[in-house]
Amino acid sequence: MHLLRLLVVLCVVVCHGQDLPKVPAALAGDHSLGGAGVRGRLTHKGTRYITEVLSKSLLSVAVASDAPHAPVDVPVQSSSVKLSNFKLKLGDLSLTKHASVELLPPNQIFVILQNLDLTLTSEINGKVSSEESAGQLILHSKNYKVEMAVKITRNDKNTPSFSVEKCKSGQGWESEAEYNGKLSGAQLNVLKASATKSASEIFEAALCPRIVNAVEGHLNERMSLLDPKISLAATTDDQLIEDIKSKLSKRRHQRDILTDERSLRVRRAEGQAFNISTFNLGRANNLFLDYSIVSDPRVTQFGVEIDSNGEISLKTSEKTPFGPIDVPLPQNDNGADSMLQIIVSDFIPNTLMFHGHDIGLFNTRVDPSTPQFGSIMRTSCDLSTGSLFCIGDLLPTMRKQHPNQRVAMHFKTIQAPVLLFRPASMGGIAFSLLGHIDVLTLDNGDGKDKLIGAFGIEIAANMKMRLTNTMVKGKVNLEKIKLTSRSPKVLLQEELDDAGLLGREVLQRMVNDILKDGIPIPVHPLFRLNKPKVKVINRALLIQADFDLNERLMDELTGNHLFA
């Protein structure tokens, strides 16, 4: 056990080099700046599911809204009556599947909402056969149908935007009319027959302006409030919902949203950490994942396709100096049984490591106070020290020159680590790391740490991986561990060589033990993957999955309680 701890201490680092380029050589040829790090495709199945969920919420918003609408003249024999002040009431939408979808390239979705239990109430004025009709007209349909064409584009905040290009009543549904007023007998029957005959135009005039307002006003406004850059420390439902409500409140009071929200997000990020089980990523709370889309959404024969950035970086940092390799989505129907297909470029983990390196995300100090490793951080050890094995046993020259000293090691990366996705036929997933470690003694007369030597470690490994609903799980096989002395009089190269040779199998076991619980995948909180399948392709992962929409967040984006 002591040997295991010691070897891990020695092997947590990477090789020291001189004048290394800022961009690692393995990524130097990735010049597609501003390209798509993530390509997503909602298949026909996924598009139908989202339409079903969205339409239920938006219909509820639409019928409850007071969107402006024009009155309707209904022909009644040789004259007409005027209907105005429409009120709508929607029945239970959960009783039936009501949405059908057709994809219309290059950027439209044709939606038919059918079997709607819809009641329309309106004021009526005018004469029927010289009799005043003033009162109330009620139209009710148990199977109303409305058709609309929705166009998807990209707004100036690089988030999706929707516009209703066409909205009209469909065909093949029935309605019945009721009337509250003074008419009776033949005049009443004529009015009801005329209203039923014109029901298509009446429902259309009442509902379509409300649908347009719900989509182009209500939904688009709230979509624009979702910051496309989300802190790795702030991806929970409560935080995103708080952000939306806060922005809505500021907008209603005509405050400066941009200034206030920027400071809010910074304060929130400073107080929280992005915790990955077993790993210390506390310093990642200033990193943001960019969900912004890089081109207009496309509608193809295979589904709705959206290319997004995927970069992980500091909020205010410059653009990453390398880009994603262009990996297209599959041009076939092999994924039609899944709701979602995603191409995830290795650009994403590499941006995390690139900017993480810049902020010292991977810098670590191991000393006698470090849990599990503290007892071996000594140059000399015996029964009196409480440990029969220590770091001095692997580095005897250091032990001889600095006996009876407590020791600290300070690790830093000297270049961003690299992770390359590759299929097994191309060598598998590759991971490499270069870094530098300083060795310090702590029991010095002046009470200060004293630098006594330094060395570097170069690690190269490959990894096999699989995907669960929320985690990437991997198994590592170390191919190379190279320790390089920077202080040959204290840290002899042959002693470091022996330490590296002994540490290969131990480090491999240790890393696999750490990875056994998996690493969470940052997925946008609107989506929750269900039984995903993963395939490693050259420089990317192809993920195919069904998903559930986060109904709580969706309700906040579309629900009536935010519409006021």
Short mmCIF file of all heavy atoms in Angstrom, two decimals, residues 220-258:
data_model
loop_
_atom_site.label_atom_id
_atom_site.label_comp_id
_atom_site.label_asym_id
_atom_site.label_seq_id
_atom_site.Cartn_x
_atom_site.Cartn_y
_atom_site.Cartn_z
N ASN A 220 -39.63 32.63 -28.22
CA ASN A 220 -38.36 33.22 -28.66
C ASN A 220 -37.75 34.12 -27.60
O ASN A 220 -36.52 34.16 -27.43
CB ASN A 220 -38.57 34.02 -29.95
CG ASN A 220 -38.66 33.12 -31.17
OD1 ASN A 220 -38.33 31.94 -31.12
ND2 ASN A 220 -39.11 33.68 -32.29
N GLU A 221 -38.60 34.86 -26.88
CA GLU A 221 -38.07 35.73 -25.82
C GLU A 221 -37.35 34.91 -24.77
O GLU A 221 -36.23 35.23 -24.35
CB GLU A 221 -39.19 36.53 -25.18
CG GLU A 221 -38.69 37.43 -24.04
CD GLU A 221 -39.83 38.05 -23.25
OE1 GLU A 221 -40.90 37.43 -23.15
OE2 GLU A 221 -39.62 39.15 -22.72
N ARG A 222 -37.98 33.82 -24.36
CA ARG A 222 -37.38 33.01 -23.30
C ARG A 222 -36.18 32.22 -23.79
O ARG A 222 -35.22 32.01 -23.05
CB ARG A 222 -38.45 32.12 -22.68
CG ARG A 222 -39.30 32.91 -21.69
CD ARG A 222 -40.75 32.51 -21.68
NE ARG A 222 -41.50 33.41 -20.79
CZ ARG A 222 -41.92 34.62 -21.14
NH1 ARG A 222 -41.67 35.09 -22.35
NH2 ARG A 222 -42.57 35.37 -20.29
N MET A 223 -36.21 31.80 -25.05
CA MET A 223 -35.03 31.14 -25.61
C MET A 223 -33.85 32.10 -25.65
O MET A 223 -32.71 31.72 -25.40
CB MET A 223 -35.34 30.63 -27.02
CG MET A 223 -36.31 29.46 -27.07
SD MET A 223 -35.64 27.93 -26.37
CE MET A 223 -34.41 27.52 -27.60
N SER A 224 -34.13 33.36 -25.93
CA SER A 224 -33.05 34.36 -25.99
C SER A 224 -32.47 34.65 -24.61
O SER A 224 -31.36 35.16 -24.48
CB SER A 224 -33.54 35.65 -26.63
OG SER A 224 -34.44 36.34 -25.77
N LEU A 225 -33.25 34.34 -23.55
CA LEU A 225 -32.76 34.57 -22.19
C LEU A 225 -31.83 33.47 -21.70
O LEU A 225 -31.15 33.64 -20.69
CB LEU A 225 -33.94 34.71 -21.22
CG LEU A 225 -34.87 35.91 -21.45
CD1 LEU A 225 -35.99 35.90 -20.43
CD2 LEU A 225 -34.10 37.21 -21.38
N LEU A 226 -31.82 32.33 -22.40
CA LEU A 226 -30.88 31.26 -22.05
C LEU A 226 -29.50 31.63 -22.56
O LEU A 226 -29.26 31.65 -23.77
CB LEU A 226 -31.33 29.93 -22.66
CG LEU A 226 -32.43 29.15 -21.96
CD1 LEU A 226 -32.79 27.92 -22.77
CD2 LEU A 226 -31.99 28.74 -20.56
N ASP A 227 -28.62 31.97 -21.66
CA ASP A 227 -27.26 32.33 -22.05
C ASP A 227 -26.62 31.13 -22.75
O ASP A 227 -26.58 30.04 -22.20
CB ASP A 227 -26.44 32.70 -20.82
CG ASP A 227 -25.14 33.41 -21.18
OD1 ASP A 227 -24.58 33.11 -22.25
OD2 ASP A 227 -24.70 34.26 -20.40
N PRO A 228 -26.12 31.30 -24.00
CA PRO A 228 -25.51 30.16 -24.69
C PRO A 228 -24.22 29.69 -24.04
O PRO A 228 -23.77 28.57 -24.31
CB PRO A 228 -25.26 30.70 -26.10
CG PRO A 228 -25.21 32.19 -25.95
CD PRO A 228 -26.15 32.51 -24.84
N LYS A 229 -23.63 30.51 -23.19
CA LYS A 229 -22.45 30.08 -22.44
C LYS A 229 -22.86 29.83 -20.99
O LYS A 229 -23.23 30.75 -20.27
CB LYS A 229 -21.33 31.12 -22.50
CG LYS A 229 -20.63 31.19 -23.84
CD LYS A 229 -19.36 32.04 -23.77
CE LYS A 229 -18.59 31.99 -25.07
NZ LYS A 229 -17.31 32.72 -24.99
N ILE A 230 -22.81 28.57 -20.59
CA ILE A 230 -23.25 28.18 -19.27
C ILE A 230 -22.06 27.71 -18.45
O ILE A 230 -21.27 26.88 -18.90
CB ILE A 230 -24.31 27.06 -19.34
CG1 ILE A 230 -25.53 27.56 -20.13
CG2 ILE A 230 -24.72 26.59 -17.96
CD1 ILE A 230 -26.61 26.51 -20.30
N SER A 231 -21.93 28.24 -17.25
CA SER A 231 -20.83 27.86 -16.37
C SER A 231 -20.90 26.38 -16.04
O SER A 231 -21.96 25.82 -15.81
CB SER A 231 -20.88 28.68 -15.07
OG SER A 231 -19.97 28.15 -14.12
N LEU A 232 -19.74 25.73 -16.02
CA LEU A 232 -19.70 24.34 -15.60
C LEU A 232 -20.15 24.19 -14.16
O LEU A 232 -20.47 23.10 -13.71
CB LEU A 232 -18.28 23.78 -15.76
CG LEU A 232 -17.75 23.66 -17.18
CD1 LEU A 232 -16.36 23.04 -17.16
CD2 LEU A 232 -18.66 22.86 -18.07
N ALA A 233 -20.19 25.30 -13.44
CA ALA A 233 -20.64 25.27 -12.05
C ALA A 233 -22.11 25.62 -11.92
O ALA A 233 -22.64 25.65 -10.83
CB ALA A 233 -19.81 26.25 -11.21
N ALA A 234 -22.80 25.90 -13.01
CA ALA A 234 -24.17 26.40 -12.90
C ALA A 234 -25.06 25.78 -13.95
O ALA A 234 -25.67 26.48 -14.75
CB ALA A 234 -24.18 27.93 -13.03
N THR A 235 -25.16 24.47 -13.98
CA THR A 235 -25.98 23.79 -14.98
C THR A 235 -27.18 23.08 -14.36
O THR A 235 -27.82 22.27 -15.00
CB THR A 235 -25.14 22.77 -15.76
OG1 THR A 235 -24.53 21.86 -14.84
CG2 THR A 235 -24.08 23.45 -16.59
N THR A 236 -27.53 23.38 -13.10
CA THR A 236 -28.69 22.74 -12.49
C THR A 236 -29.96 23.50 -12.86
O THR A 236 -29.93 24.66 -13.25
CB THR A 236 -28.56 22.71 -10.96
OG1 THR A 236 -28.63 24.05 -10.46
CG2 THR A 236 -27.25 22.06 -10.54
N ASP A 237 -31.10 22.82 -12.71
CA ASP A 237 -32.39 23.43 -13.03
C ASP A 237 -32.60 24.73 -12.26
O ASP A 237 -32.97 25.76 -12.84
CB ASP A 237 -33.53 22.46 -12.68
CG ASP A 237 -33.52 21.22 -13.55
OD1 ASP A 237 -32.65 21.14 -14.44
OD2 ASP A 237 -34.37 20.34 -13.33
N ASP A 238 -32.37 24.70 -10.94
CA ASP A 238 -32.66 25.87 -10.11
C ASP A 238 -31.88 27.08 -10.57
O ASP A 238 -32.39 28.20 -10.60
CB ASP A 238 -32.35 25.57 -8.65
CG ASP A 238 -33.35 24.59 -8.03
OD1 ASP A 238 -34.46 24.46 -8.58
OD2 ASP A 238 -33.01 23.97 -7.01
N GLN A 239 -30.61 26.87 -10.93
CA GLN A 239 -29.77 28.00 -11.32
C GLN A 239 -30.23 28.59 -12.65
O GLN A 239 -30.27 29.81 -12.82
CB GLN A 239 -28.31 27.55 -11.39
CG GLN A 239 -27.73 27.24 -10.01
CD GLN A 239 -26.51 26.35 -10.09
OE1 GLN A 239 -26.33 25.60 -11.03
NE2 GLN A 239 -25.66 26.42 -9.08
N LEU A 240 -30.58 27.72 -13.62
CA LEU A 240 -31.02 28.22 -14.91
C LEU A 240 -32.38 28.91 -14.79
O LEU A 240 -32.62 29.94 -15.42
CB LEU A 240 -31.10 27.06 -15.90
CG LEU A 240 -29.75 26.46 -16.28
CD1 LEU A 240 -29.95 25.20 -17.13
CD2 LEU A 240 -28.89 27.45 -17.05
N ILE A 241 -33.29 28.34 -14.01
CA ILE A 241 -34.60 28.94 -13.83
C ILE A 241 -34.47 30.29 -13.12
O ILE A 241 -35.14 31.27 -13.49
CB ILE A 241 -35.51 27.98 -13.03
CG1 ILE A 241 -35.88 26.77 -13.91
CG2 ILE A 241 -36.78 28.69 -12.56
CD1 ILE A 241 -36.54 25.64 -13.15
N GLU A 242 -33.61 30.35 -12.12
CA GLU A 242 -33.36 31.62 -11.44
C GLU A 242 -32.86 32.67 -12.43
O GLU A 242 -33.25 33.84 -12.38
CB GLU A 242 -32.33 31.42 -10.32
CG GLU A 242 -31.92 32.70 -9.61
CD GLU A 242 -30.69 32.51 -8.73
OE1 GLU A 242 -30.36 31.34 -8.42
OE2 GLU A 242 -30.08 33.52 -8.38
N ASP A 243 -31.98 32.22 -13.34
CA ASP A 243 -31.42 33.14 -14.33
C ASP A 243 -32.51 33.69 -15.23
O ASP A 243 -32.57 34.89 -15.52
CB ASP A 243 -30.37 32.39 -15.16
CG ASP A 243 -29.39 33.33 -15.83
OD1 ASP A 243 -29.14 34.41 -15.30
OD2 ASP A 243 -28.88 32.97 -16.91
N ILE A 244 -33.42 32.82 -15.69
CA ILE A 244 -34.52 33.25 -16.56
C ILE A 244 -35.43 34.23 -15.84
O ILE A 244 -35.77 35.29 -16.35
CB ILE A 244 -35.32 32.03 -17.05
CG1 ILE A 244 -34.46 31.16 -17.98
CG2 ILE A 244 -36.58 32.48 -17.80
CD1 ILE A 244 -35.10 29.83 -18.33
N LYS A 245 -35.83 33.88 -14.62
CA LYS A 245 -36.73 34.76 -13.86
C LYS A 245 -36.09 36.10 -13.59
O LYS A 245 -36.74 37.15 -13.66
CB LYS A 245 -37.13 34.08 -12.56
CG LYS A 245 -38.08 32.90 -12.73
CD LYS A 245 -38.46 32.30 -11.39
CE LYS A 245 -39.49 31.19 -11.54
NZ LYS A 245 -39.85 30.58 -10.24
N SER A 246 -34.81 36.08 -13.25
CA SER A 246 -34.12 37.32 -12.96
C SER A 246 -34.09 38.22 -14.18
O SER A 246 -34.34 39.43 -14.10
CB SER A 246 -32.69 37.02 -12.48
OG SER A 246 -31.97 38.20 -12.29
N LYS A 247 -33.82 37.64 -15.35
CA LYS A 247 -33.77 38.44 -16.58
C LYS A 247 -35.15 38.98 -16.95
O LYS A 247 -35.27 40.12 -17.41
CB LYS A 247 -33.20 37.60 -17.71
CG LYS A 247 -31.71 37.33 -17.57
CD LYS A 247 -31.20 36.48 -18.72
CE LYS A 247 -29.71 36.25 -18.60
NZ LYS A 247 -29.19 35.39 -19.67
N LEU A 248 -36.18 38.15 -16.76
CA LEU A 248 -37.53 38.63 -17.05
C LEU A 248 -37.90 39.80 -16.15
O LEU A 248 -38.50 40.78 -16.60
CB LEU A 248 -38.54 37.49 -16.86
CG LEU A 248 -38.62 36.46 -17.98
CD1 LEU A 248 -39.52 35.30 -17.56
CD2 LEU A 248 -39.13 37.09 -19.26
N SER A 249 -37.54 39.70 -14.88
CA SER A 249 -37.83 40.78 -13.95
C SER A 249 -37.11 42.06 -14.35
O SER A 249 -37.69 43.15 -14.35
CB SER A 249 -37.43 40.36 -12.53
OG SER A 249 -37.61 41.42 -11.62
N LYS A 250 -35.85 41.91 -14.72
CA LYS A 250 -35.08 43.09 -15.13
C LYS A 250 -35.63 43.70 -16.41
O LYS A 250 -35.67 44.91 -16.58
CB LYS A 250 -33.61 42.71 -15.30
CG LYS A 250 -32.90 42.41 -13.99
CD LYS A 250 -31.44 42.07 -14.26
CE LYS A 250 -30.69 41.86 -12.94
NZ LYS A 250 -31.15 40.65 -12.25
N ARG A 251 -36.09 42.81 -17.32
CA ARG A 251 -36.64 43.33 -18.57
C ARG A 251 -37.93 44.10 -18.31
O ARG A 251 -38.17 45.15 -18.90
CB ARG A 251 -36.90 42.17 -19.53
CG ARG A 251 -37.47 42.60 -20.87
CD ARG A 251 -37.41 41.48 -21.89
NE ARG A 251 -36.04 41.19 -22.26
CZ ARG A 251 -35.69 40.29 -23.19
NH1 ARG A 251 -36.63 39.61 -23.81
NH2 ARG A 251 -34.42 40.08 -23.47
N ARG A 252 -38.76 43.59 -17.41
CA ARG A 252 -40.01 44.27 -17.11
C ARG A 252 -39.77 45.64 -16.47
O ARG A 252 -40.55 46.55 -16.63
CB ARG A 252 -40.89 43.41 -16.20
CG ARG A 252 -41.56 42.24 -16.91
CD ARG A 252 -42.64 41.63 -16.04
NE ARG A 252 -42.11 41.00 -14.84
CZ ARG A 252 -41.81 39.72 -14.76
NH1 ARG A 252 -41.98 38.94 -15.80
NH2 ARG A 252 -41.33 39.21 -13.64
N HIS A 253 -38.68 45.75 -15.73
CA HIS A 253 -38.39 47.02 -15.07
C HIS A 253 -37.40 47.86 -15.87
O HIS A 253 -36.88 48.85 -15.39
CB HIS A 253 -37.83 46.76 -13.67
CG HIS A 253 -38.86 46.20 -12.72
ND1 HIS A 253 -39.13 44.84 -12.63
CD2 HIS A 253 -39.69 46.81 -11.84
CE1 HIS A 253 -40.08 44.64 -11.73
NE2 HIS A 253 -40.44 45.81 -11.23
N GLN A 254 -37.12 47.42 -17.09
CA GLN A 254 -36.25 48.18 -18.01
C GLN A 254 -34.90 48.48 -17.40
O GLN A 254 -34.37 49.58 -17.50
CB GLN A 254 -36.94 49.47 -18.44
CG GLN A 254 -38.24 49.24 -19.20
CD GLN A 254 -38.87 50.53 -19.64
OE1 GLN A 254 -38.63 51.59 -19.08
NE2 GLN A 254 -39.71 50.46 -20.66
N ARG A 255 -34.31 47.46 -16.81
CA ARG A 255 -32.98 47.63 -16.25
C ARG A 255 -31.93 47.14 -17.23
O ARG A 255 -32.23 46.50 -18.23
CB ARG A 255 -32.86 46.85 -14.94
CG ARG A 255 -33.75 47.41 -13.84
CD ARG A 255 -33.67 46.56 -12.60
NE ARG A 255 -34.54 47.07 -11.55
CZ ARG A 255 -34.76 46.46 -10.40
NH1 ARG A 255 -34.18 45.31 -10.13
NH2 ARG A 255 -35.57 47.00 -9.51
N ASP A 256 -30.70 47.38 -16.88
CA ASP A 256 -29.60 46.97 -17.74
C ASP A 256 -29.33 45.49 -17.51
O ASP A 256 -28.59 45.11 -16.59
CB ASP A 256 -28.35 47.80 -17.42
CG ASP A 256 -27.23 47.52 -18.41
OD1 ASP A 256 -27.32 46.53 -19.15
OD2 ASP A 256 -26.28 48.32 -18.45
N ILE A 257 -29.92 44.63 -18.34
CA ILE A 257 -29.80 43.18 -18.13
C ILE A 257 -28.36 42.73 -18.27
O ILE A 257 -27.85 41.95 -17.47
CB ILE A 257 -30.69 42.44 -19.16
CG1 ILE A 257 -32.15 42.78 -18.90
CG2 ILE A 257 -30.47 40.94 -19.08
CD1 ILE A 257 -33.09 42.19 -19.93
N LEU A 258 -27.69 43.21 -19.30
CA LEU A 258 -26.35 42.67 -19.58
C LEU A 258 -25.40 42.89 -18.42
O LEU A 258 -24.69 41.99 -17.97
CB LEU A 258 -25.79 43.30 -20.86
CG LEU A 258 -26.56 42.95 -22.14
CD1 LEU A 258 -25.95 43.70 -23.32
CD2 LEU A 258 -26.52 41.45 -22.39
#
